[in-house]
C-alpha cells in the first residue's frame, strides 16, 4: 500500500468513556463488518473483558475508508489495554502508530486514566485528535470539557469533534479527521526488515499469533525471521490482517500493521516491544527502549481441594503460555500444602488470572496475601529480593529493608478531597502536588506500593462514591522500617497470613487482623487463641471461645428435613475450609482478614 494512504492510530480514554463503542462505530460506518455480523464491543473478545468492560490485550483492526477527497485509505486501529497494570504495554504499542483519538466523555471530563494514557501518546509523539463523546446525553457539556482538556492536558481542543458513539453522530467527521489530521507513516521499502512486535497471544488453532508493525522493508510469507531480543529464528507460515476477523495476505510493507504466525510454541518467546528482522540481511540496530515487563505483585495460589494440585499446575502453565508477564513457581506451605507463588503486573492482572483459573478450569482457589518485592540488604553486603513474607530471613542477618514506591495521581471532585487525603495519609503517603481543574482536584502522592496492592482501589472508590479516578507508576525503592508480622492460630503460625508491615502500624494492623479472624473462624469444641506476633513477641491477641451446642440442636428435634439441610450446609461449608493443626479456617478469611477498614 502507498504510505500516504495509510493512517495508523489508537484510541486513548478513561475506562467507560466509550473507546470500544467508538471503535465499533468506526468499523460499522466503513462497512468493515456486515450489519448482521455486528455485535457490541467487537474488539473486546475475552469474556472477562466483556463482563468487566475492560480491554486487557491490545487488539487491532484494519479498516478501508473512501474519504471525501475521493481517495481510498487504509486505517489501522490498535486498541491498547486501558488499565494501569498494563502501562508498559500501552506505551510500547503507542510507538507502533502515529496518532491517537483522545476520547473524553463530555458528561464527565478528564479522568486519571485519560491523563496517563494521553501522556503515553504525547511521549510517542502522536498527533492527537480530541473527541468529545456521549453528546446525546442531556448532561453533556462540550465547552466545559474542551476547556478542561486545554487546561489540564495542554492540547488544543478548539477542533474537538463532538460525537455520540451510541447514535453515530459525528462518526463521519471522526473518520475525516483521522485522514486529514493524522500523519501518514514513514518507512523505507528497500531497507532490511525492521518490524515491531506489538502484541502476541495464543490461539488454539493457529498457535502463537504475533501482531507486528512494519517500520522498514517487507515481510513475506515463507520468510525466515529473527527475534532480535533472544536471537531465535522462525519460519513465517502465515501473514494476515484483522478486519476484525482474520484475512490472510501474502506480504506486509512499510507502515503496515498485521499479524504473522511462525509455529512459535509459547507466547513467552515473543516479547512485546521486541524487534523482528530477517535471518539473512538483518537490520543493524533494533528499535530502542525495549524492556520486558516485570511482575510487581506476588501471591500464592493454592487449590482448596489439594487433590486438584495437578489440575492447577496444568491451568497455570496454559495461562502462562499466553501471558509473558505472568510468572509462577511451585511453593509449599505448611498450612496450605502444594501451590504456586505467582507474579503479576498489578492487582487487576492478579484478579483476572485468578478468575480465569476458577471459571475456565473450575478449580477453587485460596489466594494468599498479595505482596510486593522487598529488597533486603544483608549484613554481609548482599541483597535478597523477597517475594514472599514467609521467606523473610532471620533479622540478626538483616541490615535494612527497602520497599517499592509509586507515584499516584488521583482526580476527585472537591467535596471528596478531604477523604482522599486522609486515605493517602493513612497509607503512609507523601503529598507531592495538589491542583484544581474546575471543580475537581488533582492530587499526586508518593505512596508505598504495599499499602496500595491490597484494597486501595476499593477504599478509594468507596470514600468517593466512585467519583475518583486513579493511576500510578513505579518510582523506585526506598528504605523504611518494615517488619514481618506473623499470625498464629491455636499457637500455630499460618504462613499464608504473614505480611510485611510498617513497624509503627504493626499493633494497629495486628489488632485489626486478629479481631477479623475471630469473626471469620467458626467456633470449635475448644478455645482458640488468635495472635499477631513480630519475631517472638505477641503484639495482639484474641480468644475464640469454645462452641457449646450442635447447630442442629436449634431445630427442637422435630423437623428432620430441616436438620438434614443444615447438615448438608455444614458439609458444603467444610469443603471450603482448611485445617490448621486442629482448626478449620474458611477460605474467605485469607482475603478478608487483610482488608483494612
Ligand atoms: P470503554 O471502557 O472506553 O471501552 O467504554 P465503552 O465503549 O465500553 O462504553 C462504556 C459505556 O458507555 C457503555 O455502556 C456504552 O454503551 C456507553 N456509551 C458509549 N458511548 C456512548 C454515547 O455516545 N452515548 C451514550 N449515551 N452512551 C455511550
Ligand atoms: Mg472497552
Amino acid at each position: 500500500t502507498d504510505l500516504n494512504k495509510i493512517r495508523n492510530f489508537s484510541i486513548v480514554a478513561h475506562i467507560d468513556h466509550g473507546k470500544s463503542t467508538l471503535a465499533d462505530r468506526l468499523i460499522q460506518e466503513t462497512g468493515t463488518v456486515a450489519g448482521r455480523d455486528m455485535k457490541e464491543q467487537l474488539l473486546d473478545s475475552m469474556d472477562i473483558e466483556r463482563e468487566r468492560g475492560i480491554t486487557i490485550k491490545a487488539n487491532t483492526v484494519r479498516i478501508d475508508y473512501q474519504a471525501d477527497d475521493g481517495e481510498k485509505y487504509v486505517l489501522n486501529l490498535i486498541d491498547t489495554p486501558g488499565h494501569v497494570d498494563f502501562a508498559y504495554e500501552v506505551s510500547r504499542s503507542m510507538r507502533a502508530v502515529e496518532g491517537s483519538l483522545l476520547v473524553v466523555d463530555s458528561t464527565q471530563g478528564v479522568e486519571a486514566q485519560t491523563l496517563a494514557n494521553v501522556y503515553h501518546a504525547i511521549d510517542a509523539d502522536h498527533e492527537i485528535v480530541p473527541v468529545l463523546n456521549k453528546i446525546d446525553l442531556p448532561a453533556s457539556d462540550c465547552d466545559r470539557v474542551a476547556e478542561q482538556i486545554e487546561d489540564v492536558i495542554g492540547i488544543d481542543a478548539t477542533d474537538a469533534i463532538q460525537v455520540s458513539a451510541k447514535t453515530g453522530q459525528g462518526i463521519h467527521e471522526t473518520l475525516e479527521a483521522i485522514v486529514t489530521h493524522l500523519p501518514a507513516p514513514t518507512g523505507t521499502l528497500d531497507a532490511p526488515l525492521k518490524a515491531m512486535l506489538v502484541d502476541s497471544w495464543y490461539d488454539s488453532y493457529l498457535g502463537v499469533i504475533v501482531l507486528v508493525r512494519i517500520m522498514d522493508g517487507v515481510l513475506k510469507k515463507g520468510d525466515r525471521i529473527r527475534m532480535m531480543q533472544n536471537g531465535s529464528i522462525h519460519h513465517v507460515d502465515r501473514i494476515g490482517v484483522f478486519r476484525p476477523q482474520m484475512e490472510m495476505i501474502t506480504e506486509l510493507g512499510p507502515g503496515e500493521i498485521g499479524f504473522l504466525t511462525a509455529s512459535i510454541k509459547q507466547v513467552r518467546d515473543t516479547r512485546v516491544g521486541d524487534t523482528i528482522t530477517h535471518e539473512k540481511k538483518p537490520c543493524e540496530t533494533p528499535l530502542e527502549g525495549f524492556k520486558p515487563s516485570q511482575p510487581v505483585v506476588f501471591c500464592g495460589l493454592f487449590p482448596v481441594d489439594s487433590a486438584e494440585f495437578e489440575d492447577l499446575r496444568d491451568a497455570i502453565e496454559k495461562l502462562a503460555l499466553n501471558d509473558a508477564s505472568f510468572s509462577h513457581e511451585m511453593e509449599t506451605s505448611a498450612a496450605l500444602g502444594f501451590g504456586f507463588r505467582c507474579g503479576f503486573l498489578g492487582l487487576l492482572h492478579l484478579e483476572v488470572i485468578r478468575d480465569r483459573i476458577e471459571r475456565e478450569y473450575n478449580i477453587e482457589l485460596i489466594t494468599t496475601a498479595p505482596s510486593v518485592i522487598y529488597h533486603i540488604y544483608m549484613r554481609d553486603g548482599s541483597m535478597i529480593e523477597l517475594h514472599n513474607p514467609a521467606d523473610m530471613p532471620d533479622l540478626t542477618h538483616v541490615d535494612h529493608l527497602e520497599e517499592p514506591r509509586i507515584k499516584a495521581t488521583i482526580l476527585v471532585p472537591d467535596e471528596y478531597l478531604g477523604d482522599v487525603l486522609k486515605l493517602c495519609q493513612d497509607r503512609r503517603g507523601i503529598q507531592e502536588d495538589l491542583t484544581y481543574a474546575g471543580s475537581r482536584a488533582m492530587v499526586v502522592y508518593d505512596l508505598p506500593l504495599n499499602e496500595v496492592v491490597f484494597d486501595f482501589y476499593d477504599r478509594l472508590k468507596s470514600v468517593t462514591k466512585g467519583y475518583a479516578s486513579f493511576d500510578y507508576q513505579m518510582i523506585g525503592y526506598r528504605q523504611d522500617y518494615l517488619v514481618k508480622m506473623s499470625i498464629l492460630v491455636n499457637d500455630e503460625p499460618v504462613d499464608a497470613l504473614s505480611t510485611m508491615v510498617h513497624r509503627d502500624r504493626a499493633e494497629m494492623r495486628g489488632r485489626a487482623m486478629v479481631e477479623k479472624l475471630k469473626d471469620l473462624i467458626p467456633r470449635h469444641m475448644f478455645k482458640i487463641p488468635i495472635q499477631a506476633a513480630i519475631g517472638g513477641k505477641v503484639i495482639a491477641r484474641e480468644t475464640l471461645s469454645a462452641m457449646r451446642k450442635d447447630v442442629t440442636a436449634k431445630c427442637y428435634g422435630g423437623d428432620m428435613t430441616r436438620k438434614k439441610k443444615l447438615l448438608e450446609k455444614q458439609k458444603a461449608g467444610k469443603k471450603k475450609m482448611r485445617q490448621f493443626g486442629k482448626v478449620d479456617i474458611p477460605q474467605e478469611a485469607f482475603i478478608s482478614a487483610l482488608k483494612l477498614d
Side-chain angles (χ1 to χ4, degrees):
T1 319
D2 175 4
L3 275 173
N4 292 316
K5 296 292 171 335
I6 301 177
R7 297 292 182 272
N8 298 321
F9 68 105
S10 60
I11 305 179
V12 295
H14 187 73
I15 189 136
D16 281 345
H17 282 200
K19 183 168 87 168
S20 304
T21 312
L22 178 65
D24 285 355
R25 213 51 73 225
L26 295 175
I27 293 169
Q28 197 183 33
E29 170 90 8
T30 51
T32 304
V33 176
R36 70 189 138 80
D37 292 336
M38 195 71 198
K39 50 183 178 184
E40 286 214 351
Q41 310 233 323
L42 274 170
L43 290 181
D44 294 346
S45 49
M46 263 162 45
D47 281 353
I48 190 157
E49 293 183 26
R50 279 170 181 269
E51 277 170 31
R52 297 177 177 222
I54 51 171
T55 308
I56 290 169
K57 272 293 179 188
N59 230 318
T60 181
V61 61
R62 172 154 158 165
I63 298 169
D64 291 327
Y65 177 58
Q66 167 107 37
D68 289 356
D69 65 7
E71 301 283 346
K72 281 195 176 117
Y73 290 85
V74 170
L75 314 181
N76 290 304
L77 162 61
I78 290 188
D79 188 21
T80 54
H83 191 275
V84 305
D85 287 358
F86 302 90
Y88 174 73
E89 302 195 353
V90 177
S91 82
R92 232 25 238 194
S93 53
M94 291 278 183
R95 291 185 191 273
V97 298
E98 289 75 26
S100 284
L101 301 182
L102 167 65
V103 175
V104 183
D105 182 337
S106 63
T107 69
Q108 302 290 328
V110 171
E111 296 286 357
Q113 287 161 36
T114 317
L115 286 177
N117 289 323
V118 80
Y119 291 147
H120 287 306
I122 292 170
D123 283 349
D125 289 325
H126 282 188
E127 203 58 54
I128 295 169
V129 174
V131 172
L132 306 175
N133 190 30
K134 307 199 187 181
I135 57 164
D136 58 293
L137 294 173
S140 164
D141 186 349
C142 290
D143 292 344
R144 182 183 68 84
V145 174
E147 203 182 301
Q148 206 191 16
I149 290 175
E150 298 200 345
D151 285 354
V152 181
I153 306 173
I155 60 175
D156 186 0
T158 36
D159 291 332
I161 308 170
Q162 305 194 359
V163 168
S164 167
K166 187 177 174 185
T167 67
Q169 198 183 339
I171 297 298
H172 180 73
E173 289 79 353
T174 307
L175 287 162
E176 282 299 309
I178 290 168
V179 167
T180 54
H181 291 355
L182 302 186
T186 55
T188 310
L189 185 67
D190 48 17
L193 177 68
K194 183 185 264 188
M196 182 197 284
L197 197 162
V198 182
D199 194 7
S200 63
W201 61 93
Y202 187 79
D203 179 278
S204 43
Y205 296 105
L206 301 181
V208 174
I209 296 178
V210 179
L211 184 67
V212 292
R213 153 72 197 266
I214 312 295
M215 300 299 177
D216 293 315
V218 180
L219 176 70
K220 291 197 176 84
K221 193 173 154 174
D223 284 352
R224 287 177 67 81
I225 51 164
R226 178 195 301 272
M227 305 285 182
M228 291 183 81
Q229 182 62 25
N230 62 7
S232 63
I233 306 285
H234 305 276
H235 178 91
V236 176
D237 46 32
R238 284 186 204 86
I239 289 180
V241 292
F242 294 101
R243 293 182 168 280
Q245 79 283 8
M246 287 183 182
E247 183 182 307
M248 301 305 163
I249 57 175
T250 53
E251 61 175 58
L252 287 168
E256 292 196 284
I257 293 174
F259 69 86
L260 65 86
T261 65
S263 314
I264 300 167
K265 291 287 172 298
Q266 36 181 338
V267 171
R268 254 162 217 281
D269 299 336
T270 58
R271 293 290 190 158
V272 172
D274 198 358
T275 306
I276 299 174
T277 190
H278 281 134
E279 180 188 19
K280 300 212 168 85
K281 242 180 94 190
C283 63
E284 280 178 15
T285 48
L287 297 157
E288 55 187 78
F290 172 81
K291 66 173 171 53
S293 46
Q294 296 290 350
V296 294
V297 177
F298 289 79
C299 77
L301 298 180
F302 294 84
V304 169
D305 177 356
S306 52
E308 288 184 331
F309 172 74
E310 286 303 328
D311 297 342
L312 177 60
R313 181 208 297 277
D314 192 48
I316 284 178
E317 280 172 359
K318 283 214 180 92
L319 289 171
L321 284 181
N322 197 14
D323 187 344
S325 46
F326 161 50
S327 74
H328 64 285
E329 56 186 47
M330 225 183 99
E331 179 181 14
T332 48
S333 148
L336 298 173
F338 292 107
F340 292 89
R341 189 81 189 160
C342 299
F344 307 91
L345 295 176
L347 270 192
L348 177 83
H349 190 209
L350 185 164
E351 248 183 76
V352 165
I353 299 258
R354 189 185 58 204
D355 264 39
R356 292 190 63 183
I357 294 173
E358 295 204 320
R359 274 193 231 197
E360 292 169 27
Y361 297 90
N362 214 359
I363 302 170
E364 263 196 286
L365 292 175
I366 292 176
T367 314
T368 65
S371 169
V372 300
I373 304 174
Y374 297 93
H375 288 174
I376 303 188
Y377 290 85
M378 307 299 284
R379 291 252 155 90
D380 66 7
S382 61
M383 190 271 274
I384 299 174
E385 287 192 357
L386 182 77
H387 293 193
N388 185 350
D391 300 334
M392 179 74 191
D394 193 84
L395 281 180
T396 52
H397 302 302
V398 173
D399 185 69
H400 69 279
L401 242 88
E402 288 184 357
E403 64 175 340
R405 313 256 330 176
I406 59 164
K407 185 171 121 179
T409 305
I410 300 168
L411 271 88
V412 64
D414 260 0
E415 61 222 272
Y416 303 112
L417 179 62
D419 297 311
V420 170
L421 297 182
K422 181 169 181 309
L423 174 66
C424 292
Q425 226 62 51
D426 285 350
R427 299 295 173 97
R428 296 192 285 131
I430 300 164
Q431 191 180 312
E432 294 209 320
D433 199 14
L434 172 57
T435 48
Y436 287 87
S439 62
R440 297 167 66 79
M442 182 168 105
V443 267
V444 179
Y445 262 89
D446 172 334
L447 280 156
L449 183 62
N450 93 337
E451 300 280 349
V452 173
V453 290
F454 207 73
D455 59 349
F456 188 83
Y457 293 103
D458 294 349
R459 296 293 303 152
L460 183 69
K461 265 196 236 142
S462 85
V463 300
T464 63
K465 304 207 163 48
Y467 283 111
S469 58
F470 169 69
D471 196 83
Y472 72 81
Q473 74 200 70
M474 299 278 285
I475 48 176
Y477 276 75
R478 195 178 312 148
Q479 186 180 348
D480 216 326
Y481 189 11
L482 295 152
V483 291
K484 172 183 158 187
M485 182 170 79
S486 317
I487 298 292
L488 296 96
V489 175
N490 206 23
D491 299 319
E492 304 253 6
V494 181
D495 52 3
L497 287 171
S498 298
T499 48
M500 300 296 296
V501 294
H502 193 271
R503 185 63 191 88
D504 293 348
R505 283 151 202 268
E507 273 81 12
M508 186 192 69
R509 284 281 176 87
R511 201 169 319 117
M513 268 180 83
V514 297
E515 277 168 17
K516 273 232 166 115
L517 284 169
K518 188 185 169 196
D519 291 338
L520 290 162
I521 299 174
R523 293 210 264 168
H524 286 58
M525 302 307 290
F526 47 90
K527 228 174 23 183
I528 303 171
I530 304 170
Q531 298 160 309
I534 295 172
K537 189 168 162 269
V538 173
I539 54 167
R541 164 186 191 108
E542 285 283 334
T543 305
L544 185 63
S545 55
M547 176 165 60
R548 296 212 188 89
K549 289 186 197 115
D550 196 289
V551 183
T552 52
K554 275 190 226 138
C555 322
Y556 307 105
D559 187 347
M560 281 308 291
T561 52
R562 185 171 147 69
K563 215 178 220 174
K564 239 194 191 154
K565 261 195 195 141
L566 283 169
L567 280 171
E568 265 161 29
K569 264 195 194 153
Q570 273 181 29
K571 241 200 205 147
K574 261 249 158 70
K575 273 205 348 224
K576 294 192 178 179
M577 304 264 197
R578 269 305 177 123
Q579 270 223 315
F580 292 85
K582 291 187 292 178
V583 181
D584 287 325
I585 302 182
Q587 194 190 339
E588 314 88 76
F590 293 92
I591 290 292
S592 311
L594 294 148
K595 288 206 171 139
L596 310 167
D597 38 31

